[in-house]
Structure formats: C-alpha cells, structure tokens
Amino acid sequence: MNTQFTNQQKPTLIHVIAWMTLVSGIVNLIWGLAASGTVLATVVGIVCIPIAILPTILGIFEIIYAAKLMSTPPQPVQPSTNIAVLEIVCIVVGNVFSVVVGVLALVFYNDIAVKEYFAKINGTLTTDTQVAPVVPAFVPDPAPAPVEPAESTPADEAHSPGSEEAPKG
C-alpha cells in the first residue's frame, strides 16, 4: 500500500468526487428501496424489478468507492467511469440527482490534477511530465530550390541522348 500521500495532498476535486459519490450512493439506496417497494406492490411491476433494483445495487458500489477515495492513507483505485455512467443511467428510474453527479464525475475525471493523483496512487506516474509539442495539421512544403545545369564534360557529351552510337558487332 502506498503510504506516502496524506489527506492534505489530495486535490480538491478528489474530495468533491468522493463526497458527491457518497451522497449519491445514499440517495440511490433510498431511491432504489422505495422504487423496489413500489414495484413489488403491483402485479405488473414485478416485471420491472430489475430496473427498479439498479439504484440500490449502484448505491452500494458508490458507497464502497467513496470510502476508498476518502481513506487515509489512500488506497490504489482507478477513476470509476463505470459508476459515473451507471449514475447517468439512473434517469430511467427518475433519479435526476444521480445523473448530475455522474456527469460532473466524468468531467472531473478529465482534470489534469485528478489524472495525476490517480496515477500517483496507482504507481503509474512517469517522471517525465513534458507535454508533446503541438504539430499543425497542415505544413506547407518549402519551395523547391532552383536546379542549376551542371557543367558538362567531354565524356558526358559522348553519352548524351543525342549522340547515340550504333551497336557494334
């Protein structure tokens, strides 16, 4: 386990992601249990139980992931884009709060400081952090240099195209 990072070295966006994910997990647990209870109360709703149970299962995974992000010392964990996408899918059961959290999480995962933090805690950060130079899409070729005629020698004149010799023999 990597113990060289403390809680103060986490970027602010990591804290924001962790707290948003935790709150979304709690909301999803409550929302999923309410939706499952409502669905089970009807005969037709029993067919819809797989859709209604999604927030409950997602809420459990969100709480576990948020706990890993908040832990001190930090645990090696990757950015969970799968959880963020499933939060967006919660629009199917009407949970708009999870959709907002999922979109914000995907945006925050693309921040440079967040990417560097995840690379550090997972031990994949390289020491060379230089950015590759930007190459323009179109680079015009420089004008070709004028070609000057070379000086001809008597040996070259004998083999010029205008002075063909008849084949011998």
Side-chain angles (χ1 to χ4, degrees), residues 19-64:
W19 282 104
M20 282 189 333
T21 305
L22 180 65
V23 171
S24 178
I26 294 168
V27 168
N28 274 330
L29 275 175
I30 295 168
W31 193 278
L33 291 175
S36 298
T38 304
V39 166
L40 287 175
T42 64
V43 177
V44 178
I46 294 175
V47 177
C48 299
I49 194 71
I51 295 172
I53 205 163
L54 167 70
T56 306
I57 296 170
L58 178 61
I60 294 167
F61 284 115
E62 286 176 313
I63 291 171
I64 292 169

mmCIF file of all heavy atoms in Angstrom, residues 19-64:
data_model
loop_
_atom_site.group_PDB
_atom_site.id
_atom_site.type_symbol
_atom_site.label_atom_id
_atom_site.label_comp_id
_atom_site.label_asym_id
_atom_site.label_seq_id
_atom_site.Cartn_x
_atom_site.Cartn_y
_atom_site.Cartn_z
ATOM 1 N N TRP A 19 -17.216 12.977 -2.033
ATOM 2 C CA TRP A 19 -18.427 13.377 -1.315
ATOM 3 C C TRP A 19 -19.657 13.277 -2.205
ATOM 4 O O TRP A 19 -20.729 12.859 -1.750
ATOM 5 C CB TRP A 19 -18.285 14.788 -0.745
ATOM 6 C CG TRP A 19 -17.446 14.789 0.500
ATOM 7 C CD1 TRP A 19 -16.157 15.193 0.618
ATOM 8 C CD2 TRP A 19 -17.841 14.320 1.790
ATOM 9 N NE1 TRP A 19 -15.719 15.003 1.906
ATOM 10 C CE2 TRP A 19 -16.740 14.471 2.653
ATOM 11 C CE3 TRP A 19 -19.017 13.782 2.298
ATOM 12 C CZ2 TRP A 19 -16.779 14.107 3.988
ATOM 13 C CZ3 TRP A 19 -19.047 13.421 3.637
ATOM 14 C CH2 TRP A 19 -17.935 13.590 4.458
ATOM 15 N N MET A 20 -19.528 13.672 -3.475
ATOM 16 C CA MET A 20 -20.668 13.549 -4.389
ATOM 17 C C MET A 20 -21.071 12.084 -4.555
ATOM 18 O O MET A 20 -22.260 11.750 -4.557
ATOM 19 C CB MET A 20 -20.313 14.120 -5.773
ATOM 20 C CG MET A 20 -20.345 15.593 -5.888
ATOM 21 S SD MET A 20 -20.165 16.240 -7.584
ATOM 22 C CE MET A 20 -19.254 15.015 -8.463
ATOM 23 N N THR A 21 -20.075 11.206 -4.693
ATOM 24 C CA THR A 21 -20.355 9.791 -4.872
ATOM 25 C C THR A 21 -20.993 9.200 -3.621
ATOM 26 O O THR A 21 -21.913 8.384 -3.705
ATOM 27 C CB THR A 21 -19.070 9.037 -5.234
ATOM 28 O OG1 THR A 21 -18.484 9.657 -6.390
ATOM 29 C CG2 THR A 21 -19.340 7.588 -5.551
ATOM 30 N N LEU A 22 -20.522 9.619 -2.449
ATOM 31 C CA LEU A 22 -21.107 9.130 -1.200
ATOM 32 C C LEU A 22 -22.572 9.557 -1.059
ATOM 33 O O LEU A 22 -23.445 8.730 -0.759
ATOM 34 C CB LEU A 22 -20.299 9.623 0.000
ATOM 35 C CG LEU A 22 -20.812 9.185 1.369
ATOM 36 C CD1 LEU A 22 -20.701 7.670 1.524
ATOM 37 C CD2 LEU A 22 -20.055 9.897 2.469
ATOM 38 N N VAL A 23 -22.848 10.822 -1.293
ATOM 39 C CA VAL A 23 -24.219 11.320 -1.182
ATOM 40 C C VAL A 23 -25.112 10.655 -2.233
ATOM 41 O O VAL A 23 -26.241 10.254 -1.945
ATOM 42 C CB VAL A 23 -24.249 12.860 -1.301
ATOM 43 C CG1 VAL A 23 -25.670 13.383 -1.407
ATOM 44 C CG2 VAL A 23 -23.529 13.498 -0.125
ATOM 45 N N SER A 24 -24.580 10.509 -3.450
ATOM 46 C CA SER A 24 -25.347 9.841 -4.497
ATOM 47 C C SER A 24 -25.626 8.384 -4.129
ATOM 48 O O SER A 24 -26.701 7.855 -4.430
ATOM 49 C CB SER A 24 -24.610 9.925 -5.832
ATOM 50 O OG SER A 24 -25.317 9.241 -6.836
ATOM 51 N N GLY A 25 -24.668 7.739 -3.484
ATOM 52 C CA GLY A 25 -24.871 6.362 -3.045
ATOM 53 C C GLY A 25 -25.985 6.245 -2.019
ATOM 54 O O GLY A 25 -26.821 5.339 -2.079
ATOM 55 N N ILE A 26 -26.009 7.174 -1.069
ATOM 56 C CA ILE A 26 -27.065 7.162 -0.040
ATOM 57 C C ILE A 26 -28.425 7.443 -0.687
ATOM 58 O O ILE A 26 -29.420 6.758 -0.396
ATOM 59 C CB ILE A 26 -26.734 8.170 1.074
ATOM 60 C CG1 ILE A 26 -25.479 7.715 1.831
ATOM 61 C CG2 ILE A 26 -27.909 8.346 2.014
ATOM 62 C CD1 ILE A 26 -24.897 8.753 2.759
ATOM 63 N N VAL A 27 -28.454 8.435 -1.583
ATOM 64 C CA VAL A 27 -29.711 8.755 -2.278
ATOM 65 C C VAL A 27 -30.165 7.565 -3.114
ATOM 66 O O VAL A 27 -31.355 7.228 -3.144
ATOM 67 C CB VAL A 27 -29.541 10.025 -3.147
ATOM 68 C CG1 VAL A 27 -30.714 10.215 -4.091
ATOM 69 C CG2 VAL A 27 -29.363 11.248 -2.260
ATOM 70 N N ASN A 28 -29.235 6.913 -3.789
ATOM 71 C CA ASN A 28 -29.600 5.766 -4.612
ATOM 72 C C ASN A 28 -30.112 4.593 -3.771
ATOM 73 O O ASN A 28 -31.011 3.867 -4.202
ATOM 74 C CB ASN A 28 -28.434 5.320 -5.484
ATOM 75 C CG ASN A 28 -28.364 6.081 -6.788
ATOM 76 O OD1 ASN A 28 -29.373 6.512 -7.310
ATOM 77 N ND2 ASN A 28 -27.172 6.245 -7.309
ATOM 78 N N LEU A 29 -29.526 4.382 -2.597
ATOM 79 C CA LEU A 29 -30.040 3.328 -1.714
ATOM 80 C C LEU A 29 -31.491 3.604 -1.327
ATOM 81 O O LEU A 29 -32.353 2.719 -1.423
ATOM 82 C CB LEU A 29 -29.183 3.215 -0.454
ATOM 83 C CG LEU A 29 -27.940 2.344 -0.555
ATOM 84 C CD1 LEU A 29 -27.134 2.418 0.735
ATOM 85 C CD2 LEU A 29 -28.310 0.913 -0.859
ATOM 86 N N ILE A 30 -31.765 4.807 -0.911
ATOM 87 C CA ILE A 30 -33.127 5.171 -0.515
ATOM 88 C C ILE A 30 -34.067 5.111 -1.712
ATOM 89 O O ILE A 30 -35.161 4.541 -1.646
ATOM 90 C CB ILE A 30 -33.136 6.569 0.154
ATOM 91 C CG1 ILE A 30 -32.342 6.521 1.461
ATOM 92 C CG2 ILE A 30 -34.560 7.056 0.380
ATOM 93 C CD1 ILE A 30 -32.047 7.885 2.061
ATOM 94 N N TRP A 31 -33.625 5.683 -2.828
ATOM 95 C CA TRP A 31 -34.443 5.714 -4.042
ATOM 96 C C TRP A 31 -34.724 4.291 -4.536
ATOM 97 O O TRP A 31 -35.852 3.961 -4.917
ATOM 98 C CB TRP A 31 -33.713 6.507 -5.120
ATOM 99 C CG TRP A 31 -34.573 6.877 -6.285
ATOM 100 C CD1 TRP A 31 -34.890 6.096 -7.361
ATOM 101 C CD2 TRP A 31 -35.214 8.121 -6.509
ATOM 102 N NE1 TRP A 31 -35.681 6.779 -8.229
ATOM 103 C CE2 TRP A 31 -35.896 8.044 -7.730
ATOM 104 C CE3 TRP A 31 -35.255 9.315 -5.795
ATOM 105 C CZ2 TRP A 31 -36.634 9.088 -8.256
ATOM 106 C CZ3 TRP A 31 -35.986 10.361 -6.341
ATOM 107 C CH2 TRP A 31 -36.665 10.240 -7.551
ATOM 108 N N GLY A 32 -33.702 3.448 -4.536
ATOM 109 C CA GLY A 32 -33.858 2.075 -5.012
ATOM 110 C C GLY A 32 -34.780 1.253 -4.130
ATOM 111 O O GLY A 32 -35.593 0.466 -4.628
ATOM 112 N N LEU A 33 -34.656 1.418 -2.814
ATOM 113 C CA LEU A 33 -35.537 0.681 -1.909
ATOM 114 C C LEU A 33 -36.984 1.144 -2.071
ATOM 115 O O LEU A 33 -37.914 0.327 -2.068
ATOM 116 C CB LEU A 33 -35.071 0.828 -0.470
ATOM 117 C CG LEU A 33 -33.740 0.125 -0.143
ATOM 118 C CD1 LEU A 33 -33.301 0.448 1.278
ATOM 119 C CD2 LEU A 33 -33.865 -1.377 -0.347
ATOM 120 N N ALA A 34 -37.186 2.442 -2.228
ATOM 121 C CA ALA A 34 -38.539 2.966 -2.433
ATOM 122 C C ALA A 34 -39.105 2.489 -3.772
ATOM 123 O O ALA A 34 -40.271 2.077 -3.847
ATOM 124 C CB ALA A 34 -38.528 4.492 -2.371
ATOM 125 N N ALA A 35 -38.285 2.541 -4.817
ATOM 126 C CA ALA A 35 -38.760 2.098 -6.134
ATOM 127 C C ALA A 35 -39.043 0.607 -6.133
ATOM 128 O O ALA A 35 -40.048 0.153 -6.703
ATOM 129 C CB ALA A 35 -37.726 2.437 -7.204
ATOM 130 N N SER A 36 -38.200 -0.184 -5.493
ATOM 131 C CA SER A 36 -38.420 -1.633 -5.435
ATOM 132 C C SER A 36 -39.679 -1.964 -4.645
ATOM 133 O O SER A 36 -40.451 -2.849 -5.024
ATOM 134 C CB SER A 36 -37.216 -2.327 -4.805
ATOM 135 O OG SER A 36 -36.066 -2.128 -5.591
ATOM 136 N N GLY A 37 -39.892 -1.275 -3.539
ATOM 137 C CA GLY A 37 -41.101 -1.491 -2.747
ATOM 138 C C GLY A 37 -42.354 -1.127 -3.515
ATOM 139 O O GLY A 37 -43.375 -1.828 -3.458
ATOM 140 N N THR A 38 -42.289 -0.034 -4.256
ATOM 141 C CA THR A 38 -43.427 0.390 -5.057
ATOM 142 C C THR A 38 -43.709 -0.609 -6.173
ATOM 143 O O THR A 38 -44.863 -0.954 -6.434
ATOM 144 C CB THR A 38 -43.161 1.783 -5.661
ATOM 145 O OG1 THR A 38 -42.869 2.686 -4.602
ATOM 146 C CG2 THR A 38 -44.356 2.272 -6.448
ATOM 147 N N VAL A 39 -42.662 -1.080 -6.815
ATOM 148 C CA VAL A 39 -42.809 -2.015 -7.923
ATOM 149 C C VAL A 39 -43.354 -3.352 -7.428
ATOM 150 O O VAL A 39 -44.197 -3.979 -8.070
ATOM 151 C CB VAL A 39 -41.458 -2.188 -8.654
ATOM 152 C CG1 VAL A 39 -41.463 -3.380 -9.570
ATOM 153 C CG2 VAL A 39 -41.134 -0.940 -9.439
ATOM 154 N N LEU A 40 -42.882 -3.801 -6.283
ATOM 155 C CA LEU A 40 -43.347 -5.085 -5.747
ATOM 156 C C LEU A 40 -44.798 -5.031 -5.284
ATOM 157 O O LEU A 40 -45.446 -6.068 -5.122
ATOM 158 C CB LEU A 40 -42.446 -5.541 -4.603
ATOM 159 C CG LEU A 40 -41.069 -6.039 -5.030
ATOM 160 C CD1 LEU A 40 -40.218 -6.352 -3.811
ATOM 161 C CD2 LEU A 40 -41.184 -7.269 -5.923
ATOM 162 N N ALA A 41 -45.324 -3.835 -5.059
ATOM 163 C CA ALA A 41 -46.701 -3.693 -4.598
ATOM 164 C C ALA A 41 -47.712 -3.922 -5.722
ATOM 165 O O ALA A 41 -48.894 -4.093 -5.448
ATOM 166 C CB ALA A 41 -46.909 -2.314 -3.981
ATOM 167 N N THR A 42 -47.249 -3.920 -6.947
ATOM 168 C CA THR A 42 -48.155 -4.133 -8.072
ATOM 169 C C THR A 42 -47.815 -5.437 -8.775
ATOM 170 O O THR A 42 -46.658 -5.871 -8.780
ATOM 171 C CB THR A 42 -48.072 -2.975 -9.079
ATOM 172 O OG1 THR A 42 -46.769 -2.945 -9.644
ATOM 173 C CG2 THR A 42 -48.378 -1.645 -8.418
ATOM 174 N N VAL A 43 -48.792 -6.032 -9.401
ATOM 175 C CA VAL A 43 -48.577 -7.288 -10.116
ATOM 176 C C VAL A 43 -47.762 -7.047 -11.386
ATOM 177 O O VAL A 43 -46.839 -7.790 -11.707
ATOM 178 C CB VAL A 43 -49.936 -7.949 -10.463
ATOM 179 C CG1 VAL A 43 -49.742 -9.207 -11.278
ATOM 180 C CG2 VAL A 43 -50.720 -8.225 -9.203
ATOM 181 N N VAL A 44 -48.076 -5.987 -12.104
ATOM 182 C CA VAL A 44 -47.358 -5.668 -13.340
ATOM 183 C C VAL A 44 -45.936 -5.206 -13.024
ATOM 184 O O VAL A 44 -45.005 -5.449 -13.791
ATOM 185 C CB VAL A 44 -48.112 -4.589 -14.139
ATOM 186 C CG1 VAL A 44 -47.363 -4.196 -15.391
ATOM 187 C CG2 VAL A 44 -49.519 -5.047 -14.478
ATOM 188 N N GLY A 45 -45.758 -4.581 -11.885
ATOM 189 C CA GLY A 45 -44.449 -4.044 -11.515
ATOM 190 C C GLY A 45 -43.398 -5.091 -11.246
ATOM 191 O O GLY A 45 -42.203 -4.804 -11.300
ATOM 192 N N ILE A 46 -43.811 -6.322 -10.963
ATOM 193 C CA ILE A 46 -42.841 -7.380 -10.691
ATOM 194 C C ILE A 46 -41.939 -7.608 -11.905
ATOM 195 O O ILE A 46 -40.776 -7.944 -11.766
ATOM 196 C CB ILE A 46 -43.569 -8.676 -10.258
ATOM 197 C CG1 ILE A 46 -44.242 -8.428 -8.915
ATOM 198 C CG2 ILE A 46 -42.628 -9.857 -10.194
ATOM 199 C CD1 ILE A 46 -45.099 -9.566 -8.423
ATOM 200 N N VAL A 47 -42.469 -7.360 -13.079
ATOM 201 C CA VAL A 47 -41.667 -7.495 -14.303
ATOM 202 C C VAL A 47 -40.584 -6.413 -14.342
ATOM 203 O O VAL A 47 -39.511 -6.619 -14.906
ATOM 204 C CB VAL A 47 -42.578 -7.399 -15.549
ATOM 205 C CG1 VAL A 47 -41.783 -7.463 -16.824
ATOM 206 C CG2 VAL A 47 -43.639 -8.482 -15.517
ATOM 207 N N CYS A 48 -40.835 -5.278 -13.727
ATOM 208 C CA CYS A 48 -39.904 -4.146 -13.771
ATOM 209 C C CYS A 48 -38.896 -4.148 -12.628
ATOM 210 O O CYS A 48 -38.119 -3.198 -12.496
ATOM 211 C CB CYS A 48 -40.681 -2.833 -13.737
ATOM 212 S SG CYS A 48 -41.794 -2.626 -15.121
ATOM 213 N N ILE A 49 -38.859 -5.170 -11.810
ATOM 214 C CA ILE A 49 -37.966 -5.180 -10.649
ATOM 215 C C ILE A 49 -36.487 -5.063 -11.032
ATOM 216 O O ILE A 49 -35.727 -4.416 -10.310
ATOM 217 C CB ILE A 49 -38.241 -6.402 -9.735
ATOM 218 C CG1 ILE A 49 -37.556 -6.212 -8.373
ATOM 219 C CG2 ILE A 49 -37.743 -7.681 -10.351
ATOM 220 C CD1 ILE A 49 -38.171 -5.182 -7.531
ATOM 221 N N PRO A 50 -36.022 -5.651 -12.164
ATOM 222 C CA PRO A 50 -34.601 -5.458 -12.492
ATOM 223 C C PRO A 50 -34.226 -3.986 -12.706
ATOM 224 O O PRO A 50 -33.134 -3.558 -12.349
ATOM 225 C CB PRO A 50 -34.412 -6.258 -13.774
ATOM 226 C CG PRO A 50 -35.487 -7.276 -13.761
ATOM 227 C CD PRO A 50 -36.643 -6.618 -13.075
ATOM 228 N N ILE A 51 -35.131 -3.215 -13.260
ATOM 229 C CA ILE A 51 -34.864 -1.785 -13.472
ATOM 230 C C ILE A 51 -34.930 -1.037 -12.141
ATOM 231 O O ILE A 51 -34.112 -0.155 -11.875
ATOM 232 C CB ILE A 51 -35.860 -1.195 -14.491
ATOM 233 C CG1 ILE A 51 -35.632 -1.838 -15.864
ATOM 234 C CG2 ILE A 51 -35.702 0.310 -14.592
ATOM 235 C CD1 ILE A 51 -36.668 -1.477 -16.886
ATOM 236 N N ALA A 52 -35.865 -1.396 -11.290
ATOM 237 C CA ALA A 52 -36.045 -0.691 -10.027
ATOM 238 C C ALA A 52 -34.951 -1.002 -9.021
ATOM 239 O O ALA A 52 -34.682 -0.203 -8.125
ATOM 240 C CB ALA A 52 -37.407 -1.037 -9.437
ATOM 241 N N ILE A 53 -34.290 -2.143 -9.181
ATOM 242 C CA ILE A 53 -33.257 -2.518 -8.213
ATOM 243 C C ILE A 53 -31.885 -1.918 -8.573
ATOM 244 O O ILE A 53 -30.978 -1.907 -7.740
ATOM 245 C CB ILE A 53 -33.187 -4.051 -8.075
ATOM 246 C CG1 ILE A 53 -32.612 -4.419 -6.716
ATOM 247 C CG2 ILE A 53 -32.381 -4.678 -9.175
ATOM 248 C CD1 ILE A 53 -32.887 -5.837 -6.331
ATOM 249 N N LEU A 54 -31.749 -1.386 -9.791
ATOM 250 C CA LEU A 54 -30.476 -0.777 -10.221
ATOM 251 C C LEU A 54 -29.959 0.278 -9.242
ATOM 252 O O LEU A 54 -28.786 0.228 -8.853
ATOM 253 C CB LEU A 54 -30.605 -0.178 -11.626
ATOM 254 C CG LEU A 54 -29.471 0.745 -12.063
ATOM 255 C CD1 LEU A 54 -28.189 -0.048 -12.304
ATOM 256 C CD2 LEU A 54 -29.846 1.540 -13.288
ATOM 257 N N PRO A 55 -30.768 1.237 -8.793
ATOM 258 C CA PRO A 55 -30.229 2.245 -7.874
ATOM 259 C C PRO A 55 -29.725 1.663 -6.559
ATOM 260 O O PRO A 55 -28.755 2.163 -5.990
ATOM 261 C CB PRO A 55 -31.404 3.192 -7.636
ATOM 262 C CG PRO A 55 -32.324 2.977 -8.767
ATOM 263 C CD PRO A 55 -32.142 1.570 -9.193
ATOM 264 N N THR A 56 -30.370 0.608 -6.066
ATOM 265 C CA THR A 56 -29.938 0.008 -4.801
ATOM 266 C C THR A 56 -28.556 -0.609 -4.945
ATOM 267 O O THR A 56 -27.664 -0.365 -4.117
ATOM 268 C CB THR A 56 -30.952 -1.068 -4.358
ATOM 269 O OG1 THR A 56 -32.247 -0.492 -4.327
ATOM 270 C CG2 THR A 56 -30.590 -1.605 -2.995
ATOM 271 N N ILE A 57 -28.358 -1.380 -5.993
ATOM 272 C CA ILE A 57 -27.053 -2.017 -6.215
ATOM 273 C C ILE A 57 -25.990 -0.965 -6.499
ATOM 274 O O ILE A 57 -24.880 -1.029 -5.967
ATOM 275 C CB ILE A 57 -27.160 -3.040 -7.365
ATOM 276 C CG1 ILE A 57 -28.113 -4.162 -6.968
ATOM 277 C CG2 ILE A 57 -25.794 -3.583 -7.739
ATOM 278 C CD1 ILE A 57 -28.487 -5.085 -8.092
ATOM 279 N N LEU A 58 -26.346 0.018 -7.317
ATOM 280 C CA LEU A 58 -25.402 1.104 -7.621
ATOM 281 C C LEU A 58 -25.048 1.876 -6.362
ATOM 282 O O LEU A 58 -23.881 2.252 -6.165
ATOM 283 C CB LEU A 58 -26.000 2.038 -8.673
ATOM 284 C CG LEU A 58 -25.157 3.247 -9.056
ATOM 285 C CD1 LEU A 58 -23.817 2.817 -9.648
ATOM 286 C CD2 LEU A 58 -25.915 4.128 -10.030
ATOM 287 N N GLY A 59 -26.011 2.123 -5.486
ATOM 288 C CA GLY A 59 -25.749 2.840 -4.235
ATOM 289 C C GLY A 59 -24.715 2.136 -3.375
ATOM 290 O O GLY A 59 -23.847 2.773 -2.775
ATOM 291 N N ILE A 60 -24.782 0.815 -3.327
ATOM 292 C CA ILE A 60 -23.792 0.049 -2.551
ATOM 293 C C ILE A 60 -22.398 0.236 -3.138
ATOM 294 O O ILE A 60 -21.427 0.502 -2.416
ATOM 295 C CB ILE A 60 -24.192 -1.437 -2.504
ATOM 296 C CG1 ILE A 60 -25.489 -1.609 -1.705
ATOM 297 C CG2 ILE A 60 -23.076 -2.291 -1.921
ATOM 298 C CD1 ILE A 60 -26.134 -2.967 -1.850
ATOM 299 N N PHE A 61 -22.290 0.122 -4.466
ATOM 300 C CA PHE A 61 -20.981 0.297 -5.108
ATOM 301 C C PHE A 61 -20.463 1.726 -4.953
ATOM 302 O O PHE A 61 -19.263 1.943 -4.776
ATOM 303 C CB PHE A 61 -21.049 -0.076 -6.592
ATOM 304 C CG PHE A 61 -21.071 -1.563 -6.831
ATOM 305 C CD1 PHE A 61 -22.179 -2.174 -7.383
ATOM 306 C CD2 PHE A 61 -19.979 -2.349 -6.504
ATOM 307 C CE1 PHE A 61 -22.200 -3.537 -7.601
ATOM 308 C CE2 PHE A 61 -19.988 -3.710 -6.717
ATOM 309 C CZ PHE A 61 -21.103 -4.310 -7.268
ATOM 310 N N GLU A 62 -21.355 2.700 -4.998
ATOM 311 C CA GLU A 62 -20.936 4.091 -4.824
ATOM 312 C C GLU A 62 -20.375 4.337 -3.432
ATOM 313 O O GLU A 62 -19.362 5.025 -3.270
ATOM 314 C CB GLU A 62 -22.119 5.038 -5.066
ATOM 315 C CG GLU A 62 -22.501 5.195 -6.506
ATOM 316 C CD GLU A 62 -23.732 6.056 -6.679
ATOM 317 O OE1 GLU A 62 -24.729 5.827 -5.959
ATOM 318 O OE2 GLU A 62 -23.692 6.954 -7.523
ATOM 319 N N ILE A 63 -21.021 3.800 -2.417
ATOM 320 C CA ILE A 63 -20.553 3.993 -1.040
ATOM 321 C C ILE A 63 -19.186 3.331 -0.841
ATOM 322 O O ILE A 63 -18.288 3.916 -0.218
ATOM 323 C CB ILE A 63 -21.601 3.469 -0.046
ATOM 324 C CG1 ILE A 63 -22.839 4.368 -0.093
ATOM 325 C CG2 ILE A 63 -21.035 3.403 1.371
ATOM 326 C CD1 ILE A 63 -24.034 3.851 0.681
ATOM 327 N N ILE A 64 -18.991 2.151 -1.395
ATOM 328 C CA ILE A 64 -17.694 1.469 -1.285
ATOM 329 C C ILE A 64 -16.607 2.276 -1.995
ATOM 330 O O ILE A 64 -15.504 2.480 -1.471
ATOM 331 C CB ILE A 64 -17.781 0.035 -1.857
ATOM 332 C CG1 ILE A 64 -18.680 -0.825 -0.964
ATOM 333 C CG2 ILE A 64 -16.404 -0.583 -1.990
ATOM 334 C CD1 ILE A 64 -19.039 -2.166 -1.567
#
